[in-house]
Amino acid sequence: MKGIILAGGRGTRLYPLTIAISKQLLPVYDKPMVYYPLSMLMLAGIREILVISTPEALPGFRDLLQDGTQWGLRFSYAAQDQPRGLADAFIVGREFIGQEPVALILGDNIFFGEGLPSRLRAAARLTKGALVFAYPVLAWLDAGTHGSLLQAANFIQAVEERQGMMISCPEAIPAKCAGLTQKGTSQGVG
């Protein structure tokens, strides 16, 4: 299965911060916002990922994410010149997708919940049709306004410091996923 991170839009609710930088490149506590949806795709076992953003923002994503080999991934990049919604991401990414199944995640959403990694892996095994699933997460944070961006950072900081676990760290996920396969558990991975 392949993955798409839709990280377009202009982030107007976060002006003036987003005049010069994509919202998804802003930090949420100690890492760029895009790391959170990226980690969800990684936890699902997806290793080929297309990042779709504005032509102006793509160089920033390329600088940050590079080609993905540092995390055992392969990134591709595509421009969406105007925000045209979710369906357009599949049109922009049609060559990347080919005949493969694909999962799309928004670049500004943050999910955290017990058992979420195993649900993601199960959904990624789908070979026919489509699946839209709901999951009772402990937290879903949009981070689209100044207040919600601060709330997201505070939540991540509290969980990481008080629970002693790292949330959405791409550099740690390959090792944790290998451990999950061997142990059959999803404790402490978010």
Side-chain angles (χ1 to χ4, degrees), residues 5 97 132 144:
I5 298 175
I97 298 167
V132 176

Side-chain angles (χ1 to χ4, degrees), residues 26 78 93 96-97 115 124 181-182:
L26 292 173
F96 167 81
I97 298 167
T181 303
Q182 294 167 358

Side-chain angles (χ1 to χ4, degrees), residues 43-94:
L43 288 168
I46 296 170
R47 298 294 179 252
E48 292 182 59
I49 299 169
L50 175 65
V51 177
I52 299 175
S53 192
T54 65
E56 304 81 25
L58 276 178
F61 286 100
R62 282 190 179 103
D63 288 345
L64 175 67
L65 302 173
Q66 302 166 29
D67 66 359
T69 56
Q70 71 276 23
W71 301 315
L73 305 174
R74 189 171 69 199
F75 287 115
S76 298
Y77 298 90
Q80 184 184 45
D81 58 352
Q82 294 292 321
R84 287 188 288 270
L86 301 175
D88 189 62
F90 295 103
I91 295 169
V92 170
R94 69 180 163 261

